Amino acid sequence: MLSRRVTKIKPSPTLAIDAKAKAMKASGEDVINFGVGEPDFDTPEHIKEAAVRALKDGFTKYTAVGGIDPLKDAIIKKLEEDNGLAYKREEIIVSCGAKHSLYNIAQALYGPGDEVIIPAPYWVSYPDQVVMNDATPVIVETDESNSFMITPDHLVNNVSDKTKALILNYPSNPTGLAYDMKTLQKIAEIAVKHKFIIVSDEIYEKLTYDGIKHTSIASLGREIQSRTLVVNGLSKSHAMTGWRIGYTAGPAEIVKAMTKIQSQSTSNPNSIAQIAAREALTGPQEFLTHMIDQFDSRRKFLVNELNSIDGIHCTMPKGAFYVFPNTSLLYGKTYGGKQISSSSDLALYLLEEAKVALVPGDAFGNDNHVRISYATGLDDIKRGIGRIKAALSKRDSSEQ
Ligand SMILES: *Cc1c(COP(=O)(O)O)cnc(C)c1O
């Protein structure tokens, strides 16, 4: 009965774990949720007020499919000031969240016979969005020792005459790591030479630490800008996950195709949320500093604590709000009578034994790791780490 398309894909595993943790919590269990992929901060007040004003002013009708001009202009200004990128209105489309932007891109670009290169660990929706459009995801493993960056050699080896696009995401969900300038330059050269598109998911751009500044690959020259789709949004930077506003900047021809697709599916993104997004981009940004400070201290605390656990190794992330510890040394051992042999086993054991929810790395294409989100208060992080330590101290003594 169902389409071939839907039988080929799976539900988002991160949303599934989040739902399970929320359900346990709702039934009265004291679950600590490290599975979340959204800031625990509330949307800043001035943004909410802009939305209330829009509502009261009756800004409650359909808008232009690809977003209102004042929001597009705010996005253009942001891209110019933050990223040194120049765009015109016809090169911008606003969608219902960055996930929707990526989906429109997939519909506009990918088809049967096309290959899309996705470095692993990857964000969960990339491969399924490729598969949904009958194209083939080419998953390229990366090394932790190389900060999980795809190497230029490795990229070239995976390029074929069918390569349509490469999906980049930095700072990365799930690893928290970022690309360095030298690697970005080489990747840009390869994309120009082999004529493929770069889909650059820059949703965590604002969340960087240790003074690191984000560089958009599109800003490395006119040629690379003309084959890059810059995807960004307000969900992570302005704690606006529920508002559903994301956007794409790129070649007019592709943006026009995406707009056509959007006109036949969702129509415009929510009118009130568009006004709120404009305020988010043009209003005061102070709250960001506060949010980043909080994330930064949680990050340092978590990495230190995780590295103090026998069998766990965790590198210091440079951005986003996740740590991605290597837990593979725990596999093959028995804890509390349960044999752990994969990231899923570990996640399940910690959920049942410690009431701590985290996401197994195999959801992101790397079974040697788990993802722990620190978009949760420091008190909960302290309690959660304590519980993880207690659960992992229950190692079956006959093995030691
Ligand atoms: C959260 C996230 C998105 C999607 O964000 P929206 O809420 O849809 O704007 C896209 N890419 C990555 C890597 C994310 O973590």
Side-chain angles (χ1 to χ4, degrees), residues 199-218:
V199 177
S200 186
D201 180 349
E202 305 183 13
I203 193 103
Y204 293 102
E205 158 190 31
K206 295 283 180 193
L207 304 181
T208 58
Y209 312 107
D210 302 329
I212 290 170
K213 207 182 163 298
H214 174 85
T215 303
S216 172
I217 189 164

Side-chain angles (χ1 to χ4, degrees), residues 65-67 72 75-76 79 87-95 101 104-105 107-109 197 225-226 228-231 247-263:
V65 169
K72 284 193 181 181
I75 291 167
I76 289 168
L79 289 164
Y87 287 101
K88 302 193 186 75
R89 280 183 190 162
E90 61 267 30
E91 295 169 312
I92 307 287
I93 169 175
V94 184
S95 303
S101 305
N104 283 336
I105 290 171
Q107 288 243 300
L109 287 185
I197 301 281
Q225 184 181 352
S226 73
T228 301
L229 292 160
V230 176
V231 175
Y247 58 87
T248 308
E253 185 193 358
I254 301 175
V255 165
K256 195 173 166 195
M258 292 168 67
T259 310
K260 189 158 77 176
I261 289 160
Q262 189 158 298
S263 79

Side-chain angles (χ1 to χ4, degrees), residues 37 96-100 102 123 126 169 173 201 203-204 233 235-236 241 244-246 322:
C96 310
K99 188 185 272 190
H100 186 220
L102 291 159
W123 186 51
Y126 301 144
N169 168 224
N173 175 2
D201 180 349
I203 193 103
Y204 293 102
S235 282
K236 311 294 161 59
T241 44
R244 311 310 302 130
I245 297 288
Y322 312 99

Side-chain angles (χ1 to χ4, degrees), residues 130-177:
V130 172
V131 168
M132 249 194 276
N133 288 286
D134 299 315
T136 307
V138 176
I139 307 293
V140 179
E141 306 281 333
T142 62
D143 276 338
E144 189 176 7
S145 61
N146 190 40
S147 298
F148 289 115
M149 290 186 290
I150 190 169
T151 64
D153 285 349
H154 220 163
L155 175 58
V156 168
N157 290 341
N158 283 278
V159 170
S160 77
D161 54 4
K162 293 177 182 156
T163 304
K164 197 61 174 276
L166 161 71
I167 304 181
L168 282 185
N169 168 224
Y170 62 93
S172 152
N173 175 2
T175 69
L177 295 173

